[in-house]
Amino acid sequence: MNITEIKETIDVLSWIISKWKKRTAIVILELLFFIQYVYCVFYKCINLNNLGIEIIDNISYLKNISILYIVISFVVFFIWFFSVRIKKINKKNIGIVFAIETENLKQKKRLSSSFYDQVVNIIRESTDREIEILQLDEYYSRRLRKDKNFSKKLINKIRANIILYGRLEERRNNAKDLYSIDFNAIVRHKALPQELSQIISQEMCYVLPKNINFEIDNEFSSFTITSEIIGESIKFILGLSFAYSRLYDEAYKMHKDCLDISFSKIKSGKNNLLSQRMYQLSLSYAISELKQLAQISRIEGSLSESIEYINRALILNPEDYGALLEKSICCFLIGNIRESMNVLMKCSKNTNDYTWAYNKAFLHTFEGNFNAAYKLYKMVVNKPVWVNVTNHCEMFIIDYLEKHPEKYELFYALGMIYYKIKQDYQLACEYFNKFILNSQKDNNKYSDTIKYVILMKDNCERKLENEPT
C-alpha cells in the first residue's frame, strides 16, 4: 500500500467518524435495524395465506428475533452514545478545550506537541487551580465554526471555561509553503445583559489574532511563538470570564500577568498593536478588579486588606478616580479624616462625576462643619453622579449611625439628602428633627446651625401641606 492509498484510507475513516457523531447517523442505523427486523418477521413468521385466522406461524422465532433486535438496538445506541459523549470538566478546575481542524495527522501531532502544551503552560503560571484539557476532533471544530448556538450549548454542557477552535491548513504564497491558522474562541461566564456580552466579544477580538501565517520551514520556532501569543490571549480571555463571574481574585492574577508580559514586550521594543491592546485592556481590568476586591474586603470588615488592594490599584494608576474614592472611604473608616479629605481634594478635579462631593459633604457633616456641607449638598443637586450614588450614601450613613449612634451630626446629612436631592420632605423632616433633638440633649452644641435647620424643616412641612392629596 503506497502513501496515496494510506492517505485515502485515512480520509475515508475520518469521513466515517465525522458522520458517525451526528444524531442522524444513529437514527438511520436504528431505522435500518428495524427494517431488517420487520423483514425477518415477515419472511419467517408471517403466513398471509392464513389471513383472518392465525397469521403467525413461528411464535418461538418471533420471540427470539424480537429479543435479539431489542438487545442489538440498545447495544448500538449505547456504543454510539458513549463514543460521542464528551467528558465534563470538574467544576473546581479550569477547563480549556481545543478544537482546531487539521488536514492530516502530521499537523494534528504538531499542534499537540508544539502548541497545546505550551499554551496551557503559559496559563498555569497565573493560577493555582488544576487545568483540564480536552482536544476535540474535526467534527466538532467544523460544527463550532458553522454554528454559534452549538458553541454556546457545548461550552455550558461540558463546563469548559474557554473553547479555542479554528482551522490549520497549508498554503503556498510567493513560492513559499506556509501554515495558516484561523482562531476563534468562546468563553463561559455567568448570565449577563446583552450589552456586556457584546463588550466581552469585542475585547476578545482585540487580543485574539484571527489568523496567523508562518513558513513551514521554520515551523518549530513559529509554533512556539504562536503558542506564546495565543497563550497570553487565552489568559486574558479567561481573566474576562472570571471577572464577569465575580471571581475577581483569579481575574486579577490573569490580567496582572498579561499586563506585566505586555509591558515587558513594549519596553523591549516589541511595540506591536497586539501588545499595546493587551497592555491597555489588562491595565484597565487589573485596576477594576483591585477596586472590586477592595470594596468586598471593606464590606467584610477587612480594612487593612482593602487598603492594600486599593494601594496596588493606585500604583498602576495614581489618578484613577474610582480607586481614590474607595481610598477616601477606607481612610475615613480607620479614623484618618485628614487623609480622606486630602484624597477627595484630588478627586474634585473630576467634573464628569460629583460622587466626591457627596463624600466630602459627609466628612464636613461628620466634623460639624455644616456650612461647608450645606454648600456641597446644594451644589450636587443637578450634577452628574454614578448610578445609585445617592442611595449608597444614604445606606452608608444609616449603617454607620446604627454602629455609632453618638455621631448624631449625620442626621443632618440624611436630612439634606432627602431635602435637596431626593425631595422626600417627610423623611427630611424626620431626620432634621432627630438632629435638633440630639443637639438639644447635647447642651445645644449646634445652636446656630439649629436655627437654619428649623427653617429648612419648616419649609419641608409647608411643601408637604401644599402637596395634592
Side-chain angles (χ1 to χ4, degrees), residues 266-289:
I266 292 170
K267 195 174 180 181
S268 64
K270 299 177 182 178
N271 193 12
N272 55 43
L273 183 59
L274 187 60
S275 295
Q276 290 175 20
R277 286 175 176 173
M278 184 71 78
Y279 176 78
Q280 291 165 359
L281 287 171
S282 298
L283 178 63
S284 174
Y285 272 98
I287 292 172
S288 175
E289 286 142 13

Side-chain angles (χ1 to χ4, degrees), residues 124-350:
R124 279 201 176 99
E125 296 169 357
S126 305
T127 182
D128 297 326
R129 288 167 67 182
E130 187 176 334
I131 296 176
E132 278 192 59
I133 309 163
L134 290 179
Q135 295 181 30
L136 304 183
D137 58 30
E138 277 72 10
Y139 166 75
Y140 290 103
S141 60
R142 283 196 290 270
R143 194 168 174 191
L144 284 164
R145 285 187 288 113
K146 292 177 182 178
D147 188 351
K148 288 186 178 180
N149 290 326
F150 173 71
S151 62
K152 292 175 183 177
K153 290 178 184 176
L154 181 64
I155 196 167
N156 290 312
K157 183 179 179 181
I158 64 178
R159 295 196 294 254
N161 292 88
I162 187 169
I163 298 178
L164 182 74
Y165 60 96
R167 177 177 173 81
L168 170 64
E169 58 185 1
E170 296 178 21
R171 293 177 182 171
R172 189 163 182 82
N173 188 24
N174 296 328
K176 291 181 180 180
D177 293 322
L178 303 174
Y179 275 132
S180 178
I181 314 181
D182 295 325
F183 291 108
N184 213 324
I186 181 170
V187 65
R188 181 167 63 96
H189 51 72
K190 290 186 177 181
L192 294 171
Q194 185 65 28
E195 305 81 37
L196 285 179
S197 294
Q198 289 175 352
I199 290 171
I200 293 175
S201 299
Q202 188 177 28
E203 289 176 345
M204 284 170 59
C205 292
Y206 282 156
V207 299
L208 182 68
K210 285 292 183 185
N211 178 267
I212 295 179
N213 297 308
F214 54 84
E215 293 181 22
I216 293 177
D217 291 342
N218 301 319
E219 65 177 85
F220 183 78
S221 60
S222 297
F223 266 113
T224 302
I225 294 169
T226 302
S227 64
E228 288 177 0
I229 294 169
I230 300 303
E232 290 161 21
S233 299
I234 292 179
K235 186 186 290 188
F236 176 83
I237 293 168
L238 280 172
L240 285 182
S241 167
F242 292 139
Y244 285 102
S245 298
R246 298 181 182 178
L247 301 171
Y248 300 114
D249 193 26
E250 294 189 62
Y252 171 68
K253 289 177 184 176
M254 295 284 179
H255 288 143
K256 183 62 169 65
D257 270 8
C258 290
L259 179 64
D260 292 340
I261 292 167
S262 57
F263 179 74
S264 297
K265 286 184 176 180
I266 292 170
K267 195 174 180 181
S268 64
K270 299 177 182 178
N271 193 12
N272 55 43
L273 183 59
L274 187 60
S275 295
Q276 290 175 20
R277 286 175 176 173
M278 184 71 78
Y279 176 78
Q280 291 165 359
L281 287 171
S282 298
L283 178 63
S284 174
Y285 272 98
I287 292 172
S288 175
E289 286 142 13
L290 285 169
K291 288 187 288 188
Q292 291 289 349
L293 289 166
Q295 190 176 56
I296 291 167
S297 297
R298 170 171 61 80
I299 292 169
E300 291 175 350
S302 303
L303 288 177
S304 58
E305 194 174 79
S306 179
I307 291 170
E308 183 183 344
Y309 283 130
I310 216 65
N311 284 337
R312 283 194 220 169
L314 289 170
I315 288 170
L316 295 176
N317 182 7
E319 302 299 321
D320 187 86
Y321 178 66
L324 289 170
L325 285 177
E326 185 64 33
K327 185 175 182 179
S328 74
I329 297 171
C330 289
C331 289
F332 164 76
L333 290 173
I334 62 173
N336 193 343
I337 309 298
R338 179 175 293 180
E339 180 60 21
S340 180
M341 195 68 82
N342 289 338
V343 172
L344 289 174
M345 287 298 292
K346 295 179 182 177
C347 295
S348 62
K349 300 173 186 175
N350 192 324

Side-chain angles (χ1 to χ4, degrees), residues 100-117:
I100 299 177
E101 184 181 357
T102 55
E103 295 176 315
N104 51 56
L105 286 174
K106 180 191 172 185
Q107 292 178 0
K108 188 182 289 292
K109 287 179 180 178
R110 175 57 72 199
L111 279 175
S112 298
S113 61
S114 301
F115 182 74
Y116 298 149
D117 291 342

